[in-house]
Amino acid sequence: VTGIGDDCAVLRVPPGHELLVTTDFTIENVHFRRDWHRPELVGRRCLTRGLSDIAAMGGEPLAAFLSLAVSSDVPQKWVDRFLKGVLDLAAEFKVPLAGGDTAQSRAGIQADIVVVGSVPKGKAVLRSGANAGEQIYVTGELGGSAAALARLMELKPGGPEYFQHFSRHSHPFARVAVGRWLRQRGVASAMIDLSDGLSTDLDHICQESHVGAEIEAEAIPRAQVGKKPVALELALHGGDDYELLFTSAATVPSKIAGVPVTRIGRTTQSAEMRLIGVDGKVRLLKAGGWEHFQGNQKS
Ligand SMILES: [Mg+2]
């Protein structure tokens, strides 16, 4: 109803809907590095994190709010380009940036994005709805973003070939249309977005739904780097892919809203996660998900 320019934004919730609210930090040297990541990408990813959470509930994004703290050594140009990344993606999704705050930080850049969405009453797709004996699916391809990050670590900062080959890393796109499709048809029993990595996010569904999982290594759709698929480790544990992971007892098409959907395994009665290797051997799969730049680097 009203956005930036008053004390609060006024939002109208569609009749018969409930509100969805998600908030995510984007912190310099934790989620990005200024010498590795273009500011537009940092902004784009910042908003993608919120939109992807709304997608994972089967919701419609309504508005975004951005609070940004920047230290005095950060050029205005960086901030302008960061905002362009946020606003371009907001326009793609027709989500208004309806408010926020700015402040000077003591050091570095901290951004907090809030995305508000809505979903028909009682229809949000939760992490807790999976039953044993259902099939497990993912959208798109996995590990591309982690592979790009691994490559960035090898390259000299400022090198020219940074983002050319890694579209999921350089151009993340929340699967809102797929989430909506699944919710409208009641196809997904449980759903989560892949922000921390397949093994970690699958573990969240297993814990919340009180089921286990059996994943077939060969079935996992791995992103390509050049002509080669990324390492299985990256597809299993790499973060920032912003694909959807869901369970279903229904028939699921191989493409939803133009996005490939792949069956990667099934839910089980026993609580643990297992991985059936390409060699046919069964291993215990642990939540070995993403660790950000600080501390021990996994990939
Ligand atoms: Mg999420």
Side-chain angles (χ1 to χ4, degrees):
V1 182
T2 65
I4 292 170
D6 218 308
D7 291 300
C8 288
V10 181
L11 302 181
R12 186 169 296 133
V13 184
H17 280 229
E18 293 172 318
L19 274 183
L20 303 171
V21 183
T22 177
T23 177
D24 284 286
F25 268 129
T26 296
I27 295 175
E28 185 175 8
N29 296 330
V30 176
H31 300 99
F32 72 95
R33 279 181 53 162
R34 237 188 291 169
D35 55 353
W36 286 357
H37 295 101
R38 286 178 297 121
E40 292 87 349
L41 169 62
V42 179
R44 188 181 176 92
R45 171 155 314 131
C46 180
L47 179 55
T48 296
R49 287 153 66 90
L51 292 174
S52 182
D53 282 334
I54 301 290
M57 309 298 286
E60 303 287 344
L62 291 179
F65 301 83
L66 174 70
S67 290
L68 182 64
V70 176
S71 58
S72 55
D73 67 310
V74 177
Q76 182 60 38
K77 180 113 183 126
W78 193 98
V79 176
D80 293 344
R81 291 177 61 192
F82 168 85
L83 276 176
K84 184 175 174 356
V86 172
L87 291 172
D88 283 355
L89 184 62
E92 281 177 51
F93 280 89
K94 299 189 172 65
V95 176
L97 187 64
D101 197 10
T102 54
Q104 194 173 95
S105 78
R106 292 274 175 85
I109 300 160
Q110 298 93 38
D112 180 39
I113 195 98
V114 173
V115 179
V116 176
S118 78
V119 69
K121 198 160 188 274
K123 298 294 184 193
V125 184
L126 307 180
R127 297 176 178 182
S128 55
N131 304 293
E134 294 179 336
Q135 306 300 317
I136 302 171
Y137 298 85
V138 290
T139 61
E141 296 171 334
L142 307 187
S145 192
L149 195 58
R151 189 87 182 96
L152 285 177
M153 288 176 184
E154 290 167 15
L155 295 170
K156 279 206 186 87
E161 63 167 302
Y162 264 24
F163 303 100
Q164 290 164 9
H165 309 294
F166 306 108
S167 64
R168 281 309 276 172
H169 189 77
S170 62
H171 207 75
F173 193 84
R175 300 301 194 192
V176 172
V178 179
R180 176 192 306 130
W181 192 99
L182 290 166
R183 184 256 305 156
Q184 282 172 340
R185 287 159 186 79
V187 166
S189 54
M191 184 151 62
I192 191 169
D193 67 312
L194 291 176
S195 54
D196 294 331
L198 173 62
S199 59
T200 299
D201 291 320
L202 176 62
D203 192 45
H204 290 316
I205 285 190
C206 288
Q207 300 280 344
E208 294 297 321
S209 295
H210 307 290
V211 296
E214 200 169 76
I215 298 297
E216 297 157 28
E218 213 152 3
I220 299 172
R222 292 193 241 167
Q224 300 272 125
V225 173
K227 291 215 168 80
K228 275 179 25 196
V230 301
L232 178 62
E233 289 291 303
L234 295 183
L236 275 174
H237 308 305
D240 282 341
D241 281 322
Y242 303 109
E243 298 293 351
L244 294 177
L245 170 71
F246 63 94
T247 54
S248 180
T251 309
V252 174
S254 59
K255 226 175 213 189
I256 297 173
V259 181
V261 176
T262 309
R263 194 196 72 88
I264 59 166
R266 62 191 184 90
T267 53
T268 59
Q269 209 108 49
S270 76
E272 74 257 2
M273 299 192 294
R274 274 177 255 129
L275 180 72
I276 304 174
V278 180
D279 54 9
K281 285 189 186 142
V282 181
R283 297 171 181 83
L284 264 188
L285 178 62
K286 298 262 184 212
W290 193 239
E291 292 190 19
H292 290 293
F293 299 121
Q294 286 178 339
N296 297 326
Q297 290 174 351
K298 277 224 160 149
S299 54

mmCIF file of all heavy atoms in Angstrom, residues 67-114:
data_model
loop_
_atom_site.group_PDB
_atom_site.id
_atom_site.type_symbol
_atom_site.label_atom_id
_atom_site.label_comp_id
_atom_site.label_asym_id
_atom_site.label_seq_id
_atom_site.Cartn_x
_atom_site.Cartn_y
_atom_site.Cartn_z
ATOM 1 N N SER A 67 18.537 -3.692 5.385
ATOM 2 C CA SER A 67 19.315 -2.850 6.296
ATOM 3 C C SER A 67 20.783 -3.067 5.982
ATOM 4 O O SER A 67 21.236 -4.207 5.873
ATOM 5 C CB SER A 67 19.019 -3.208 7.750
ATOM 6 O OG SER A 67 17.701 -2.805 8.062
ATOM 7 N N LEU A 68 21.483 -1.957 5.824
ATOM 8 C CA LEU A 68 22.851 -2.022 5.335
ATOM 9 C C LEU A 68 23.766 -1.157 6.206
ATOM 10 O O LEU A 68 23.503 0.026 6.400
ATOM 11 C CB LEU A 68 22.875 -1.514 3.885
ATOM 12 C CG LEU A 68 24.204 -1.533 3.145
ATOM 13 C CD1 LEU A 68 24.700 -2.971 2.968
ATOM 14 C CD2 LEU A 68 24.059 -0.863 1.782
ATOM 15 N N ALA A 69 24.827 -1.776 6.733
ATOM 16 C CA ALA A 69 25.842 -1.026 7.486
ATOM 17 C C ALA A 69 27.159 -1.132 6.731
ATOM 18 O O ALA A 69 27.573 -2.224 6.336
ATOM 19 C CB ALA A 69 25.981 -1.593 8.891
ATOM 20 N N VAL A 70 27.792 0.006 6.497
ATOM 21 C CA VAL A 70 28.982 0.083 5.653
ATOM 22 C C VAL A 70 30.018 0.954 6.356
ATOM 23 O O VAL A 70 29.686 2.030 6.848
ATOM 24 C CB VAL A 70 28.603 0.696 4.280
ATOM 25 C CG1 VAL A 70 29.831 0.888 3.424
ATOM 26 C CG2 VAL A 70 27.589 -0.178 3.556
ATOM 27 N N SER A 71 31.277 0.499 6.376
ATOM 28 C CA SER A 71 32.327 1.303 7.001
ATOM 29 C C SER A 71 32.767 2.420 6.055
ATOM 30 O O SER A 71 32.517 2.373 4.844
ATOM 31 C CB SER A 71 33.521 0.428 7.385
ATOM 32 O OG SER A 71 34.026 -0.220 6.241
ATOM 33 N N SER A 72 33.456 3.421 6.614
ATOM 34 C CA SER A 72 33.752 4.638 5.847
ATOM 35 C C SER A 72 34.754 4.392 4.714
ATOM 36 O O SER A 72 34.841 5.183 3.782
ATOM 37 C CB SER A 72 34.275 5.730 6.785
ATOM 38 O OG SER A 72 35.396 5.231 7.493
ATOM 39 N N ASP A 73 35.490 3.264 4.765
ATOM 40 C CA ASP A 73 36.459 2.996 3.695
ATOM 41 C C ASP A 73 35.818 2.331 2.478
ATOM 42 O O ASP A 73 36.492 2.073 1.480
ATOM 43 C CB ASP A 73 37.591 2.102 4.228
ATOM 44 C CG ASP A 73 37.092 0.714 4.580
ATOM 45 O OD1 ASP A 73 36.079 0.625 5.314
ATOM 46 O OD2 ASP A 73 37.687 -0.271 4.119
ATOM 47 N N VAL A 74 34.529 2.030 2.539
ATOM 48 C CA VAL A 74 33.860 1.400 1.392
ATOM 49 C C VAL A 74 33.416 2.491 0.426
ATOM 50 O O VAL A 74 32.658 3.384 0.810
ATOM 51 C CB VAL A 74 32.639 0.561 1.851
ATOM 52 C CG1 VAL A 74 31.904 -0.027 0.651
ATOM 53 C CG2 VAL A 74 33.089 -0.545 2.798
ATOM 54 N N PRO A 75 33.861 2.438 -0.832
ATOM 55 C CA PRO A 75 33.478 3.492 -1.777
ATOM 56 C C PRO A 75 31.971 3.522 -2.041
ATOM 57 O O PRO A 75 31.320 2.469 -2.052
ATOM 58 C CB PRO A 75 34.221 3.117 -3.069
ATOM 59 C CG PRO A 75 35.148 2.013 -2.725
ATOM 60 C CD PRO A 75 34.723 1.421 -1.425
ATOM 61 N N GLN A 76 31.444 4.723 -2.247
ATOM 62 C CA GLN A 76 30.024 4.870 -2.587
ATOM 63 C C GLN A 76 29.670 4.040 -3.811
ATOM 64 O O GLN A 76 28.594 3.475 -3.913
ATOM 65 C CB GLN A 76 29.703 6.349 -2.830
ATOM 66 C CG GLN A 76 28.239 6.638 -3.147
ATOM 67 C CD GLN A 76 27.302 6.213 -2.015
ATOM 68 O OE1 GLN A 76 27.620 6.360 -0.847
ATOM 69 N NE2 GLN A 76 26.158 5.635 -2.373
ATOM 70 N N LYS A 77 30.630 3.944 -4.738
ATOM 71 C CA LYS A 77 30.431 3.173 -5.971
ATOM 72 C C LYS A 77 30.100 1.708 -5.645
ATOM 73 O O LYS A 77 29.259 1.085 -6.306
ATOM 74 C CB LYS A 77 31.724 3.269 -6.807
ATOM 75 C CG LYS A 77 31.696 2.529 -8.106
ATOM 76 C CD LYS A 77 31.740 3.488 -9.295
ATOM 77 C CE LYS A 77 31.645 2.684 -10.558
ATOM 78 N NZ LYS A 77 30.659 3.015 -11.476
ATOM 79 N N TRP A 78 30.774 1.158 -4.638
ATOM 80 C CA TRP A 78 30.493 -0.228 -4.240
ATOM 81 C C TRP A 78 29.044 -0.352 -3.784
ATOM 82 O O TRP A 78 28.322 -1.269 -4.180
ATOM 83 C CB TRP A 78 31.455 -0.680 -3.123
ATOM 84 C CG TRP A 78 31.407 -2.172 -2.905
ATOM 85 C CD1 TRP A 78 32.264 -3.103 -3.407
ATOM 86 C CD2 TRP A 78 30.407 -2.899 -2.161
ATOM 87 N NE1 TRP A 78 31.872 -4.365 -3.025
ATOM 88 C CE2 TRP A 78 30.736 -4.272 -2.261
ATOM 89 C CE3 TRP A 78 29.272 -2.534 -1.433
ATOM 90 C CZ2 TRP A 78 29.983 -5.276 -1.659
ATOM 91 C CZ3 TRP A 78 28.505 -3.544 -0.837
ATOM 92 C CH2 TRP A 78 28.868 -4.892 -0.948
ATOM 93 N N VAL A 79 28.620 0.609 -2.951
ATOM 94 C CA VAL A 79 27.250 0.576 -2.420
ATOM 95 C C VAL A 79 26.239 0.703 -3.563
ATOM 96 O O VAL A 79 25.235 -0.013 -3.613
ATOM 97 C CB VAL A 79 27.044 1.701 -1.374
ATOM 98 C CG1 VAL A 79 25.596 1.747 -0.895
ATOM 99 C CG2 VAL A 79 27.998 1.513 -0.205
ATOM 100 N N ASP A 80 26.513 1.610 -4.504
ATOM 101 C CA ASP A 80 25.598 1.797 -5.641
ATOM 102 C C ASP A 80 25.461 0.512 -6.451
ATOM 103 O O ASP A 80 24.360 0.128 -6.849
ATOM 104 C CB ASP A 80 26.110 2.922 -6.554
ATOM 105 C CG ASP A 80 26.054 4.285 -5.874
ATOM 106 O OD1 ASP A 80 25.354 4.412 -4.847
ATOM 107 O OD2 ASP A 80 26.728 5.212 -6.363
ATOM 108 N N ARG A 81 26.584 -0.145 -6.694
ATOM 109 C CA ARG A 81 26.557 -1.380 -7.498
ATOM 110 C C ARG A 81 25.888 -2.526 -6.733
ATOM 111 O O ARG A 81 25.155 -3.330 -7.308
ATOM 112 C CB ARG A 81 27.971 -1.754 -7.931
ATOM 113 C CG ARG A 81 28.556 -0.778 -8.955
ATOM 114 C CD ARG A 81 29.977 -1.133 -9.306
ATOM 115 N NE ARG A 81 30.076 -2.467 -9.911
ATOM 116 C CZ ARG A 81 31.221 -3.116 -10.102
ATOM 117 N NH1 ARG A 81 32.376 -2.564 -9.752
ATOM 118 N NH2 ARG A 81 31.232 -4.306 -10.654
ATOM 119 N N PHE A 82 26.113 -2.586 -5.423
ATOM 120 C CA PHE A 82 25.430 -3.567 -4.576
ATOM 121 C C PHE A 82 23.916 -3.380 -4.663
ATOM 122 O O PHE A 82 23.154 -4.332 -4.887
ATOM 123 C CB PHE A 82 25.915 -3.419 -3.127
ATOM 124 C CG PHE A 82 25.093 -4.157 -2.113
ATOM 125 C CD1 PHE A 82 25.341 -5.498 -1.838
ATOM 126 C CD2 PHE A 82 24.065 -3.521 -1.420
ATOM 127 C CE1 PHE A 82 24.571 -6.183 -0.892
ATOM 128 C CE2 PHE A 82 23.297 -4.202 -0.481
ATOM 129 C CZ PHE A 82 23.550 -5.529 -0.220
ATOM 130 N N LEU A 83 23.485 -2.113 -4.517
ATOM 131 C CA LEU A 83 22.048 -1.816 -4.568
ATOM 132 C C LEU A 83 21.462 -2.156 -5.934
ATOM 133 O O LEU A 83 20.339 -2.637 -6.032
ATOM 134 C CB LEU A 83 21.803 -0.336 -4.262
ATOM 135 C CG LEU A 83 21.744 0.011 -2.776
ATOM 136 C CD1 LEU A 83 21.586 1.512 -2.593
ATOM 137 C CD2 LEU A 83 20.592 -0.735 -2.085
ATOM 138 N N LYS A 84 22.253 -1.920 -6.986
ATOM 139 C CA LYS A 84 21.790 -2.269 -8.333
ATOM 140 C C LYS A 84 21.518 -3.768 -8.422
ATOM 141 O O LYS A 84 20.521 -4.202 -8.990
ATOM 142 C CB LYS A 84 22.831 -1.846 -9.368
ATOM 143 C CG LYS A 84 22.380 -2.099 -10.801
ATOM 144 C CD LYS A 84 23.385 -1.554 -11.806
ATOM 145 C CE LYS A 84 23.107 -1.886 -13.249
ATOM 146 N NZ LYS A 84 21.995 -2.736 -13.623
ATOM 147 N N GLY A 85 22.409 -4.572 -7.823
ATOM 148 C CA GLY A 85 22.203 -6.026 -7.801
ATOM 149 C C GLY A 85 20.910 -6.406 -7.102
ATOM 150 O O GLY A 85 20.144 -7.244 -7.582
ATOM 151 N N VAL A 86 20.644 -5.757 -5.969
ATOM 152 C CA VAL A 86 19.402 -6.027 -5.228
ATOM 153 C C VAL A 86 18.188 -5.599 -6.050
ATOM 154 O O VAL A 86 17.225 -6.352 -6.227
ATOM 155 C CB VAL A 86 19.401 -5.279 -3.867
ATOM 156 C CG1 VAL A 86 18.045 -5.404 -3.181
ATOM 157 C CG2 VAL A 86 20.511 -5.794 -2.958
ATOM 158 N N LEU A 87 18.254 -4.364 -6.580
ATOM 159 C CA LEU A 87 17.073 -3.794 -7.243
ATOM 160 C C LEU A 87 16.771 -4.476 -8.578
ATOM 161 O O LEU A 87 15.604 -4.658 -8.934
ATOM 162 C CB LEU A 87 17.264 -2.285 -7.441
ATOM 163 C CG LEU A 87 17.254 -1.482 -6.130
ATOM 164 C CD1 LEU A 87 17.644 -0.032 -6.378
ATOM 165 C CD2 LEU A 87 15.883 -1.570 -5.450
ATOM 166 N N ASP A 88 17.829 -4.865 -9.320
ATOM 167 C CA ASP A 88 17.594 -5.570 -10.588
ATOM 168 C C ASP A 88 16.859 -6.886 -10.341
ATOM 169 O O ASP A 88 15.920 -7.242 -11.056
ATOM 170 C CB ASP A 88 18.915 -5.842 -11.309
ATOM 171 C CG ASP A 88 19.467 -4.587 -11.985
ATOM 172 O OD1 ASP A 88 18.776 -3.554 -11.967
ATOM 173 O OD2 ASP A 88 20.596 -4.652 -12.528
ATOM 174 N N LEU A 89 17.308 -7.625 -9.317
ATOM 175 C CA LEU A 89 16.652 -8.900 -9.020
ATOM 176 C C LEU A 89 15.243 -8.671 -8.478
ATOM 177 O O LEU A 89 14.305 -9.399 -8.830
ATOM 178 C CB LEU A 89 17.485 -9.703 -8.016
ATOM 179 C CG LEU A 89 16.941 -11.106 -7.716
ATOM 180 C CD1 LEU A 89 16.925 -11.973 -8.968
ATOM 181 C CD2 LEU A 89 17.754 -11.787 -6.621
ATOM 182 N N ALA A 90 15.076 -7.638 -7.651
ATOM 183 C CA ALA A 90 13.745 -7.309 -7.128
ATOM 184 C C ALA A 90 12.784 -7.029 -8.283
ATOM 185 O O ALA A 90 11.627 -7.456 -8.265
ATOM 186 C CB ALA A 90 13.826 -6.112 -6.187
ATOM 187 N N ALA A 91 13.290 -6.332 -9.308
ATOM 188 C CA ALA A 91 12.446 -6.030 -10.476
ATOM 189 C C ALA A 91 12.100 -7.311 -11.234
ATOM 190 O O ALA A 91 10.966 -7.483 -11.695
ATOM 191 C CB ALA A 91 13.165 -5.038 -11.388
ATOM 192 N N GLU A 92 13.082 -8.233 -11.365
ATOM 193 C CA GLU A 92 12.805 -9.500 -12.056
ATOM 194 C C GLU A 92 11.665 -10.250 -11.382
ATOM 195 O O GLU A 92 10.853 -10.900 -12.030
ATOM 196 C CB GLU A 92 14.051 -10.398 -12.053
ATOM 197 C CG GLU A 92 15.102 -10.036 -13.092
ATOM 198 C CD GLU A 92 16.336 -10.938 -12.970
ATOM 199 O OE1 GLU A 92 16.175 -12.173 -12.933
ATOM 200 O OE2 GLU A 92 17.462 -10.395 -12.893
ATOM 201 N N PHE A 93 11.620 -10.189 -10.053
ATOM 202 C CA PHE A 93 10.587 -10.911 -9.307
ATOM 203 C C PHE A 93 9.382 -10.026 -8.986
ATOM 204 O O PHE A 93 8.456 -10.463 -8.311
ATOM 205 C CB PHE A 93 11.172 -11.494 -8.014
ATOM 206 C CG PHE A 93 11.926 -12.776 -8.230
ATOM 207 C CD1 PHE A 93 13.279 -12.766 -8.535
ATOM 208 C CD2 PHE A 93 11.271 -13.997 -8.156
ATOM 209 C CE1 PHE A 93 13.975 -13.951 -8.746
ATOM 210 C CE2 PHE A 93 11.949 -15.187 -8.361
ATOM 211 C CZ PHE A 93 13.309 -15.165 -8.652
ATOM 212 N N LYS A 94 9.417 -8.764 -9.453
ATOM 213 C CA LYS A 94 8.337 -7.808 -9.171
ATOM 214 C C LYS A 94 8.065 -7.690 -7.674
ATOM 215 O O LYS A 94 6.923 -7.639 -7.222
ATOM 216 C CB LYS A 94 7.058 -8.196 -9.916
ATOM 217 C CG LYS A 94 7.242 -8.212 -11.432
ATOM 218 C CD LYS A 94 5.914 -8.391 -12.149
ATOM 219 C CE LYS A 94 6.068 -8.220 -13.637
ATOM 220 N NZ LYS A 94 6.916 -9.272 -14.273
ATOM 221 N N VAL A 95 9.154 -7.675 -6.900
ATOM 222 C CA VAL A 95 9.054 -7.513 -5.453
ATOM 223 C C VAL A 95 9.582 -6.131 -5.091
ATOM 224 O O VAL A 95 10.747 -5.839 -5.338
ATOM 225 C CB VAL A 95 9.911 -8.582 -4.730
ATOM 226 C CG1 VAL A 95 9.886 -8.366 -3.224
ATOM 227 C CG2 VAL A 95 9.423 -9.977 -5.072
ATOM 228 N N PRO A 96 8.755 -5.251 -4.533
ATOM 229 C CA PRO A 96 9.264 -3.925 -4.200
ATOM 230 C C PRO A 96 10.201 -3.961 -2.996
ATOM 231 O O PRO A 96 9.993 -4.740 -2.062
ATOM 232 C CB PRO A 96 7.996 -3.132 -3.861
ATOM 233 C CG PRO A 96 6.995 -4.164 -3.460
ATOM 234 C CD PRO A 96 7.332 -5.413 -4.223
ATOM 235 N N LEU A 97 11.244 -3.138 -3.055
ATOM 236 C CA LEU A 97 12.054 -2.882 -1.871
ATOM 237 C C LEU A 97 11.282 -1.827 -1.087
ATOM 238 O O LEU A 97 11.218 -0.668 -1.476
ATOM 239 C CB LEU A 97 13.444 -2.381 -2.271
ATOM 240 C CG LEU A 97 14.456 -2.221 -1.132
ATOM 241 C CD1 LEU A 97 14.769 -3.574 -0.491
ATOM 242 C CD2 LEU A 97 15.748 -1.585 -1.630
ATOM 243 N N ALA A 98 10.664 -2.248 0.019
ATOM 244 C CA ALA A 98 9.656 -1.403 0.668
ATOM 245 C C ALA A 98 10.168 -0.711 1.914
ATOM 246 O O ALA A 98 9.403 -0.065 2.620
ATOM 247 C CB ALA A 98 8.414 -2.241 0.999
ATOM 248 N N GLY A 99 11.455 -0.851 2.201
ATOM 249 C CA GLY A 99 11.988 -0.156 3.364
ATOM 250 C C GLY A 99 13.337 -0.701 3.753
ATOM 251 O O GLY A 99 13.870 -1.609 3.116
ATOM 252 N N GLY A 100 13.893 -0.101 4.804
ATOM 253 C CA GLY A 100 15.191 -0.542 5.285
ATOM 254 C C GLY A 100 15.854 0.535 6.106
ATOM 255 O O GLY A 100 15.216 1.498 6.521
ATOM 256 N N ASP A 101 17.140 0.336 6.338
ATOM 257 C CA ASP A 101 17.886 1.285 7.154
ATOM 258 C C ASP A 101 19.331 1.269 6.673
ATOM 259 O O ASP A 101 19.783 0.267 6.100
ATOM 260 C CB ASP A 101 17.799 0.864 8.629
ATOM 261 C CG ASP A 101 18.192 2.001 9.572
ATOM 262 O OD1 ASP A 101 18.336 3.152 9.110
ATOM 263 O OD2 ASP A 101 18.361 1.722 10.771
ATOM 264 N N THR A 102 20.027 2.390 6.885
ATOM 265 C CA THR A 102 21.458 2.417 6.599
ATOM 266 C C THR A 102 22.175 2.976 7.821
ATOM 267 O O THR A 102 21.614 3.776 8.577
ATOM 268 C CB THR A 102 21.790 3.309 5.388
ATOM 269 O OG1 THR A 102 21.241 4.607 5.611
ATOM 270 C CG2 THR A 102 21.238 2.732 4.107
ATOM 271 N N ALA A 103 23.399 2.514 8.015
ATOM 272 C CA ALA A 103 24.201 3.006 9.140
ATOM 273 C C ALA A 103 25.666 2.858 8.774
ATOM 274 O O ALA A 103 26.009 2.142 7.830
ATOM 275 C CB ALA A 103 23.880 2.190 10.394
ATOM 276 N N GLN A 104 26.523 3.563 9.533
ATOM 277 C CA GLN A 104 27.952 3.376 9.325
ATOM 278 C C GLN A 104 28.434 2.302 10.303
ATOM 279 O O GLN A 104 28.112 2.350 11.492
ATOM 280 C CB GLN A 104 28.692 4.685 9.573
ATOM 281 C CG GLN A 104 30.115 4.607 9.046
ATOM 282 C CD GLN A 104 30.823 5.957 9.116
ATOM 283 O OE1 GLN A 104 31.538 6.269 10.049
ATOM 284 N NE2 GLN A 104 30.596 6.769 8.105
ATOM 285 N N SER A 105 29.166 1.317 9.774
ATOM 286 C CA SER A 105 29.688 0.273 10.649
ATOM 287 C C SER A 105 31.115 0.616 11.046
ATOM 288 O O SER A 105 31.767 1.441 10.420
ATOM 289 C CB SER A 105 29.643 -1.084 9.939
ATOM 290 O OG SER A 105 30.721 -1.188 9.031
ATOM 291 N N ARG A 106 31.607 -0.030 12.116
ATOM 292 C CA ARG A 106 32.987 0.177 12.541
ATOM 293 C C ARG A 106 33.956 -0.414 11.516
ATOM 294 O O ARG A 106 35.028 0.115 11.277
ATOM 295 C CB ARG A 106 33.222 -0.498 13.895
ATOM 296 C CG ARG A 106 32.477 0.157 15.031
ATOM 297 C CD ARG A 106 33.301 1.324 15.607
ATOM 298 N NE ARG A 106 32.552 2.033 16.629
ATOM 299 C CZ ARG A 106 32.521 1.652 17.913
ATOM 300 N NH1 ARG A 106 33.184 0.586 18.303
ATOM 301 N NH2 ARG A 106 31.816 2.330 18.780
ATOM 302 N N ALA A 107 33.566 -1.543 10.943
ATOM 303 C CA ALA A 107 34.430 -2.198 9.962
ATOM 304 C C ALA A 107 33.596 -3.051 9.022
ATOM 305 O O ALA A 107 32.671 -3.738 9.457
ATOM 306 C CB ALA A 107 35.453 -3.087 10.673
ATOM 307 N N GLY A 108 33.903 -2.983 7.749
ATOM 308 C CA GLY A 108 33.314 -3.892 6.780
ATOM 309 C C GLY A 108 31.851 -3.603 6.467
ATOM 310 O O GLY A 108 31.299 -2.560 6.835
ATOM 311 N N ILE A 109 31.253 -4.571 5.762
ATOM 312 C CA ILE A 109 29.897 -4.419 5.244
ATOM 313 C C ILE A 109 29.011 -5.500 5.859
ATOM 314 O O ILE A 109 29.380 -6.682 5.856
ATOM 315 C CB ILE A 109 29.895 -4.592 3.703
ATOM 316 C CG1 ILE A 109 30.806 -3.539 3.057
ATOM 317 C CG2 ILE A 109 28.479 -4.517 3.143
ATOM 318 C CD1 ILE A 109 31.241 -3.899 1.651
ATOM 319 N N GLN A 110 27.886 -5.078 6.399
ATOM 320 C CA GLN A 110 26.891 -6.038 6.888
ATOM 321 C C GLN A 110 25.537 -5.666 6.294
ATOM 322 O O GLN A 110 25.117 -4.512 6.412
ATOM 323 C CB GLN A 110 26.793 -6.008 8.419
ATOM 324 C CG GLN A 110 28.074 -6.404 9.148
ATOM 325 C CD GLN A 110 28.950 -5.188 9.480
ATOM 326 O OE1 GLN A 110 28.462 -4.132 9.829
ATOM 327 N NE2 GLN A 110 30.255 -5.356 9.348
ATOM 328 N N ALA A 111 24.917 -6.632 5.661
ATOM 329 C CA ALA A 111 23.582 -6.402 5.110
ATOM 330 C C ALA A 111 22.627 -7.419 5.707
ATOM 331 O O ALA A 111 22.989 -8.571 5.921
ATOM 332 C CB ALA A 111 23.601 -6.537 3.586
ATOM 333 N N ASP A 112 21.421 -6.972 5.983
ATOM 334 C CA ASP A 112 20.380 -7.886 6.456
ATOM 335 C C ASP A 112 19.173 -7.695 5.562
ATOM 336 O O ASP A 112 18.664 -6.580 5.427
ATOM 337 C CB ASP A 112 20.020 -7.598 7.919
ATOM 338 C CG ASP A 112 18.933 -8.528 8.425
ATOM 339 O OD1 ASP A 112 18.963 -9.718 8.056
ATOM 340 O OD2 ASP A 112 18.043 -8.072 9.161
ATOM 341 N N ILE A 113 18.758 -8.784 4.935
ATOM 342 C CA ILE A 113 17.595 -8.685 4.054
ATOM 343 C C ILE A 113 16.413 -9.384 4.726
ATOM 344 O O ILE A 113 16.572 -10.446 5.317
ATOM 345 C CB ILE A 113 17.890 -9.303 2.668
ATOM 346 C CG1 ILE A 113 16.839 -8.875 1.635
ATOM 347 C CG2 ILE A 113 17.950 -10.814 2.712
ATOM 348 C CD1 ILE A 113 17.257 -7.741 0.777
ATOM 349 N N VAL A 114 15.274 -8.730 4.677
ATOM 350 C CA VAL A 114 14.031 -9.345 5.151
ATOM 351 C C VAL A 114 13.121 -9.470 3.941
ATOM 352 O O VAL A 114 12.952 -8.502 3.196
ATOM 353 C CB VAL A 114 13.348 -8.490 6.241
ATOM 354 C CG1 VAL A 114 11.974 -9.046 6.598
ATOM 355 C CG2 VAL A 114 14.233 -8.394 7.478
#
